[in-house]
Amino acid sequence: MINEVRKAYNQAIFDTDKILAMRIVHDALDRGLSPEDIVFKVVVPSIEYMSTSFGQDFGASLAQHFMTAQIAALVTDEMLSKFTSPPEIVGKIVIGTSQGDFHGLGKKIVIGCLKAQMIESVDLGLNVSPEKFVDEAIEHNAQIIGISSMMLHTARGENGCLKVRQILKERNLADKIKIIVGGAPYRYNHDLYKLVQADAWAENGIDAGLVLKKLLEEIKQ
Amino acid sequence: MITGFDRLMAAANGEKSDRIPVFCNLLDQGAKELGLSLKEYYSKGEYVAEGQLKMREKYGYDNLWSLFYVGKEAELLGCKNIIYANDGPPTIGHMVFRKPEDIHNMVIPDDISNHPEFQETLKCLQILKKESGDKYPICAYITASMAMPAMLMGMEKWMDMLLSGPFDLRDKLLAMTSDFFKKQLVAYRKAGADIIIYSNPFGSPYFVSAKLFNELSMPWMEKDLQGVDRFGLVYYCGGARMNQVLNQVIEKLGFATFYLSPFDDIAQGKQLIAGRALCAGVINDIKLIDWTYDEIKAEVKRMLDAGMKGGKFFFGTLVMPLYIPEKNIRYMLEAVYEYGSYA
C-alpha cells in the first residue's frame, strides 16, 4: 500500500493539488497506514523526489516546491499529534530574512520542508537585525541560524550575514552556532556564501534539510 | 554616426551594423553619477533622466531606461511606502492587500498618463525622448498580470492564492492586473517608450510546471497581449530560465524579442528561436562583482561565441547591482565592443 500512496501523493504534489494530497493522506490513515509512516515514508520521500527534479527543464518548479513544503508542513502538524511517541527532534534553527529584506517565500518553503524532517524552526519573520538573529538563537537554544535573502545588497551588505558572523565571534559562539544562507543571489554565485562568511548555503528548501543535518553533525563532533 | 537605434534595427532585421547592440541596465548607479542619495535621485524624473543620459554617454552602450524601480508600479495602485537602502534598489514596504477581501476595493486607474504617481516617470520619458530619443531606444518595464499581484500582497500569499484559491477572487484580480498592464502599456507608448519589457517570472519553467504554464500562464499572457502591437515588446522572465518555452511563446504569443536568463544556454536558445526573433544573451552580473579582468573577458567571449552566429543577437545585463566596481562594468563593455564587433 505504501508505494501506491506515495505515488498518488507525489502526483498530487506535482499537480500542486493541495486538496487531493490531503485526501490521499486521510484515506491512507483510514486504510491503516500509521501517522509515522505517512510522515517518514510518504511526505519526506516526496520532498526528496521533488529535490531531484527541481530546476531541471520542466521538472519541479518553484510553484511545486512551494506546494511540497506547504503540504508537508500541514500533514506533519496533523500527524505529529497522532504519533504513538514524540519523535526525536534532530535540531533547531532560527530563521528569518536579512535586514532590509521583505521577501518571505523562500523562508516559508524551508520551514515547511524542515518540519517533516524533524528539524524545529523558529520563524523570526522578515527584516531581521543581525543582533536579533543571534539573541533568538541563544534564547531558543538553536544550533543553526538561517538567513534568507532575495536581494544582493541584503545578502552581501554589512547588516546581513557578515554582521551575524561578527557578533557570533564577539560572543565566542562561532563553534556552537552555525550559519546557513539561501536565496536568489546565492543561486547566481555559488561561492557567495563564503564571501559573507556563512558556513553553508542551500539552493532550495528541500536541500536545506540535508545541509542542516551535515552542519548539525559538525557541531556534535 | 551609428546610433543604438541603428544597431538594434540592424540586429532585428538579421543584418550587421558596426557591432551587436548592447543593453546595459544601470539604474541605481545614476544616483552616484549625480551625487545624490537613492531616495533623492528617484524623487524626480529630471534626475533619473539626467542619470540615464550621463551613464549612456559615459559607457557608450545602446539603451536608456525610464524605469525608476520595480515597486513604482505598486505605487500606481496604492502602495504608500517604499523602503530605501544605501546599497541596493528600493523595495516595497507596504502591501496594498492586507487581506484577500481588499482585492474587491482595488480600482485600476483609467488614465495612467495623468495619474499623479506617473508624473515623474512621464517627465523622465519626455526628457529622454527630447535629448536622445531618435538615437537610443528608451526602455520601459511593465509587469505582467500574473506577476503583479506579488507586489500587492507578497509572493507567499500570491503563490498560495494562485495555486489554492479562492479561484474566483484570483481570477478577478488577474483580470484587473491584466487591464492594468494594458493601460500602462498605452501610457508608456504614448510617452515615447520604444522598448517594453514584458516581465513575467510566471512565464518561466523555473516558476511553474508545464501544466500550470499551459493552463494558467499562457491564457493570461494571451489576455494581456490581446489587441497589443508586438513591436518593441520583449519577453523577460525576471531573470528566470525560458529556453523550454521559447517555441510556444513565439508561436502562440508572437514575441519577436527574447531576453534570456543567465541560466539559459545561449546557443540552445538561438537554435530554438531559429531566426524567428531577436535574442539577448544575458550576463550573470552577480558574478561580475568579483570576476577578474580575464574572467570577464572570457565570459563575454564565451557568450558572444554562442550567440553571434546567425545574427539577430544582442548583449544584455540583468540587474547590475551597485556592488559591481565601475572598472568591471568597463571591462565587460570593452570586451563586448571588442568581441561583438563586425568590423
Side-chain angles (χ1 to χ4, degrees):
Chain A
M1 180 173 68
I2 194 90
N3 285 337
E4 178 202 328
V5 173
R6 191 184 296 147
K7 198 175 164 189
Y9 180 84
N10 281 351
Q11 190 58 50
I13 298 281
F14 208 79
D15 291 339
T16 58
D17 192 335
K18 183 159 62 178
I19 294 168
L20 180 60
M22 295 308 285
R23 195 187 306 144
I24 289 163
V25 166
H26 291 139
D27 285 351
L29 267 183
D30 291 344
R31 287 161 63 196
L33 207 64
S34 72
E36 286 85 348
D37 277 353
I38 284 177
V39 172
F40 297 119
K41 294 182 180 171
V42 176
V43 175
V44 173
S46 89
I47 293 174
E48 288 159 4
Y49 165 72
M50 281 293 162
S51 178
T52 56
S53 65
F54 184 62
Q56 302 298 315
D57 294 330
F58 254 131
S61 63
L62 189 66
Q64 288 157 315
H65 204 159
F66 173 72
M67 201 48 92
T68 304
Q70 197 186 59
I71 299 171
L74 272 174
V75 174
T76 306
D77 269 343
E78 191 182 323
M79 295 303 117
L80 279 174
S81 63
K82 301 181 198 303
F83 273 28
T84 48
S85 58
E88 185 195 346
I89 298 299
V90 179
K92 193 186 270 188
I93 178 173
V94 291
I95 184 168
T97 69
S98 45
Q99 189 160 319
D101 206 308
F102 295 83
H103 303 84
L105 182 72
K107 169 178 70 68
K108 189 79 176 179
I109 293 173
V110 170
I111 291 171
C113 292
L114 293 184
K115 183 170 282 198
Q117 297 175 78
M118 300 302 138
I119 297 169
E120 195 180 329
S121 305
V122 178
D123 188 352
L124 303 180
L126 308 176
N127 186 29
V128 180
S129 70
E131 293 79 10
K132 186 171 178 182
F133 272 116
V134 177
D135 291 345
E136 293 283 342
I138 295 166
E139 168 79 23
H140 293 281
N141 205 20
Q143 302 96 330
I144 314 274
I145 291 172
I147 309 173
S148 175
S149 307
M150 176 69 181
M151 303 166 83
L152 182 81
H153 69 284
T154 62
R156 196 162 176 154
E158 58 185 15
N159 288 317
C161 184
L162 285 169
K163 187 71 181 284
V164 176
R165 170 61 69 204
Q166 185 192 325
I167 297 170
L168 285 177
K169 279 181 186 166
E170 285 166 3
R171 299 193 196 175
N172 290 321
L173 291 168
D175 293 335
K176 295 185 183 112
I177 300 174
K178 300 281 184 187
I179 307 172
I180 182 172
V181 290
Y186 299 99
R187 288 201 309 111
Y188 283 90
N189 182 355
H190 293 183
D191 290 326
L192 182 57
Y193 84 94
K194 293 176 197 163
L195 290 168
V196 302
Q197 298 178 19
D199 293 293
W201 81 288
E203 181 146 18
N204 54 62
I206 292 162
D207 287 345
L210 300 172
V211 177
L212 272 175
K213 282 175 185 169
K214 274 187 198 163
L215 287 180
L216 289 167
E217 283 302 314
E218 283 176 23
I219 293 170
K220 277 182 194 167
Q221 282 165 8
Chain B
M1 181 195 147
I2 298 170
T3 67
F5 255 125
D6 296 333
R7 294 185 184 106
L8 187 63
M9 292 315 292
N13 293 325
E15 294 160 3
K16 289 177 180 172
S17 178
D18 59 336
R19 60 164 169 79
I20 60 167
V22 178
F23 276 40
C24 187
N25 303 330
L26 297 175
L27 300 177
D28 300 338
Q29 286 83 353
K32 196 175 155 196
E33 288 297 318
L34 270 58
L36 299 171
S37 70
L38 284 166
K39 191 171 183 180
E40 280 175 297
Y41 178 65
Y42 286 126
S43 69
K44 289 194 182 299
E46 291 92 327
Y47 293 154
V48 175
E50 190 183 348
Q52 282 294 313
L53 291 164
K54 277 193 168 175
M55 289 189 293
R56 204 224 60 77
E57 187 69 30
K58 177 175 168 179
Y59 293 112
Y61 52 78
D62 294 315
N63 66 315
L64 294 163
W65 267 105
S66 65
L67 172 67
F68 287 38
Y69 44 84
V70 173
K72 200 102 182 105
E73 284 179 272
E75 290 181 290
L76 284 165
L77 294 179
C79 170
K80 300 290 180 212
N81 185 26
I82 295 292
I83 295 168
Y84 291 87
N86 295 324
D87 55 353
T91 52
I92 292 171
H94 160 237
M95 292 298 158
V96 173
F97 303 145
R98 306 295 291 182
K99 51 189 188 303
E101 299 76 50
D102 292 342
I103 291 168
H104 295 298
N105 301 326
M106 187 170 78
V107 177
I108 302 299
D110 262 336
D111 181 4
I112 302 285
S113 300
N114 285 311
H115 192 288
E117 292 292 348
F118 193 69
Q119 295 316 297
E120 296 305 325
T121 304
L122 192 60
K123 268 187 222 163
C124 172
L125 273 157
Q126 286 165 343
I127 295 167
L128 292 178
K129 202 73 196 165
K130 184 170 167 239
E131 297 295 324
S132 199
D134 57 339
K135 298 188 191 77
Y136 296 96
I138 300 167
C139 301
Y141 179 100
I142 311 182
T143 302
S145 59
M146 255 180 100
M148 191 64 216
M151 282 199 261
L152 304 173
M153 62 170 73
M155 184 57 114
E156 185 189 329
K157 283 183 183 162
W158 171 233
M159 195 74 103
D160 198 27
M161 181 179 277
L162 189 73
L163 301 173
S164 304
F167 296 121
D168 54 343
L169 202 54
R170 176 195 74 184
D171 293 344
K172 179 179 178 171
L173 175 57
L174 282 169
M176 287 195 283
T177 51
S178 186
D179 182 34
F180 182 52
F181 167 79
K182 281 201 175 82
K183 284 178 172 157
Q184 282 199 89
L185 184 72
V186 169
Y188 274 107
R189 281 187 165 162
K190 192 173 146 194
D194 305 293
I195 307 283
I196 305 287
I197 308 297
Y198 177 75
S199 176
N200 189 11
F202 292 91
S204 161
Y206 176 79
F207 265 72
V208 292
S209 64
K211 186 171 181 274
L212 273 176
F213 182 83
N214 290 320
E215 292 176 3
L216 211 55
S217 302
M218 190 55 92
W220 280 104
M221 289 195 285
E222 283 172 333
K223 281 186 184 126
D224 288 352
L225 301 169
Q226 204 169 29
V228 167
D229 182 356
R230 306 296 199 266
F231 187 79
L233 216 56
V234 179
Y235 192 78
Y236 170 68
C237 297
R241 291 181 288 108
M242 66 174 74
N243 271 2
Q244 291 82 1
V245 299
L246 286 172
N247 196 47
Q248 273 174 281
V249 173
I250 293 172
E251 286 186 355
K252 288 196 173 175
L253 300 176
F255 272 90
T257 308
F258 292 88
Y259 209 83
L260 299 185
S261 160
F263 295 122
D264 279 312
D265 180 317
I266 294 172
Q268 184 196 44
K270 286 284 308 275
Q271 199 176 11
L272 288 162
I273 291 170
R276 293 173 292 173
L278 184 62
C279 169
V282 177
I283 197 164
N284 180 342
D285 51 28
I286 301 286
K287 280 194 167 180
L288 185 60
I289 300 168
D290 301 298
W291 271 332
T292 62
Y293 172 75
D294 289 339
E295 285 170 329
I296 293 168
K297 277 196 87 166
E299 176 61 6
V300 170
K301 186 173 187 310
R302 182 196 68 77
M303 291 172 63
L304 269 50
D305 283 347
M308 281 177 70
K309 195 178 167 191
K312 290 204 166 191
F313 180 76
F314 66 112
F315 178 89
T317 69
L318 203 59
V319 293
M320 294 299 278
L322 276 173
Y323 281 78
I324 302 172
E326 196 173 308
K327 67 177 171 50
N328 285 16
I329 298 173
R330 287 191 186 280
Y331 294 159
M332 174 190 75
L333 291 169
E334 281 165 17
V336 186
Y337 300 152
E338 180 187 344
Y339 296 124
S341 170
Y342 289 118

